[in-house]
């Protein structure tokens, strides 16, 4: 499944089949760009909710979860939630494995987030939640940061219209 924001424009042909690459590399998640630091206002309470979910479900994270906290003990119960480096990847171009997305544990976590209401109350953006899912469920070798697709990501409607007009032939 490919998610692209309406203000993200691929500016030249992609030289390979992204879906075939994802399948052959057994990818669960692929995104554009390098990691950034998430603004605290958009993740308030997400780590605490995630810690509770991990403890309740006795789920050992498969991704970079502990590395993001600098915790080499891999001890969820004693995890210092304020130590998270808040790394995230932008969500405006995301390739998601449908099999992974509908995995029962992934869906249980996602439903926990949605039922908490905190995604609305604290304005958790999709990138914060999706990146936490990556840290919990996606091993490093099943995650890809794509850096060979030319694109523009615009921020406002006027800029978007102007940018689109430049690329329409």
């Amino acid at each position: 499944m490919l998610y692209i924001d309406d203000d993200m424009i691929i500016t030249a042909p992609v030289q390979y089949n992204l879906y075939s690459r994802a399948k052959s590399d057994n990818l669960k998640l692929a995104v554009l760009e390098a990691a950034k630091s998430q603004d605290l206002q958009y993740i308030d309470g997400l780590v605490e909710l995630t810690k509770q979910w991990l403890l309740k479900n006795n789920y050992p994270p498969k991704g970079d979860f502990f590395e993001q906290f600098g915790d080499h003990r891999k001890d969820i119960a004693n995890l210092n939630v304020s130590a998270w480096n808040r790394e995230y990847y932008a969500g405006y171009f995301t390739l998601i494995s449908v099999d992974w997305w509908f995995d029962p544990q992934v869906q249980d976590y996602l439903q926990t987030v949605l039922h908490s209401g905190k995604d609305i109350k604290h304005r958790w953006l999709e990138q914060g939640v999706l990146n936490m899912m990556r840290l919990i469920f996606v091993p490093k070798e099943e995650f890809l940061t794509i850096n060979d697709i030319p694109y523009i990501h615009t921020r406002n409607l006027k800029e978007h219209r102007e940018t689109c007009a430049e690329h329409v032939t």
Side-chain angles (χ1 to χ4, degrees):
M1 165 173 55
L2 181 61
Y3 170 83
I4 301 177
D5 275 5
D6 64 350
D7 61 351
M8 191 274 190
I9 304 159
I10 297 174
T11 59
V14 177
Q15 299 301 314
Y16 57 91
N17 184 315
L18 187 56
Y19 295 103
S20 295
R21 180 176 180 185
K23 186 173 182 171
S24 68
D25 291 349
N26 195 33
L27 298 177
K28 294 198 174 17
L29 195 59
V31 298
L32 285 179
E33 280 198 16
K36 302 175 184 179
S37 182
Q38 181 78 45
D39 190 343
L40 282 174
Q41 72 178 353
Y42 298 119
I43 54 168
D44 185 31
L46 179 59
V47 176
E48 293 82 357
L49 180 121
T50 300
K51 180 179 175 180
Q52 291 172 355
W53 185 89
L54 290 167
L55 288 168
K56 176 185 170 202
N57 291 282
N58 195 29
Y59 188 85
K62 297 176 183 173
D64 284 343
F65 184 80
F66 292 109
E67 290 83 351
Q68 298 294 312
F69 291 88
D71 187 336
H72 303 290
R73 298 168 297 141
K74 301 190 178 204
D75 179 9
I76 294 170
N78 294 307
L79 185 71
N80 177 2
V81 295
S82 65
W84 183 29
N85 68 7
R86 301 188 331 264
E87 177 185 275
Y88 84 99
Y89 292 87
Y92 51 81
F93 182 100
T94 308
L95 183 65
I96 302 170
S97 162
V98 174
D99 291 337
W100 172 75
W101 184 259
F102 288 106
D103 177 275
Q105 291 173 311
V106 171
Q107 282 296 301
D108 185 69
Y109 175 78
L110 185 57
Q111 292 304 314
T112 298
V113 168
L114 295 173
H115 285 112
S116 76
K118 294 178 182 179
D119 60 315
I120 303 299
K121 180 180 177 184
H122 296 297
R123 296 189 63 221
W124 292 346
L125 302 176
E126 84 283 347
Q127 65 224 25
V129 174
L130 189 59
N131 278 284
M132 189 58 72
M133 293 167 68
R134 171 184 61 86
L135 296 176
I136 298 168
F137 299 108
V138 181
K140 286 179 192 180
E141 63 274 6
E142 296 176 4
F143 173 71
L144 176 66
T145 303
I146 302 167
N147 58 11
D148 57 357
I149 294 178
Y151 72 95
I152 296 171
H153 185 227
T154 61
R155 298 286 184 215
N156 64 55
L157 189 55
K158 182 178 184 292
E159 179 186 355
H160 181 65
R161 286 185 182 142
E162 291 168 359
T163 305
C164 285
E166 291 172 13
H167 293 281
V168 175
T169 55

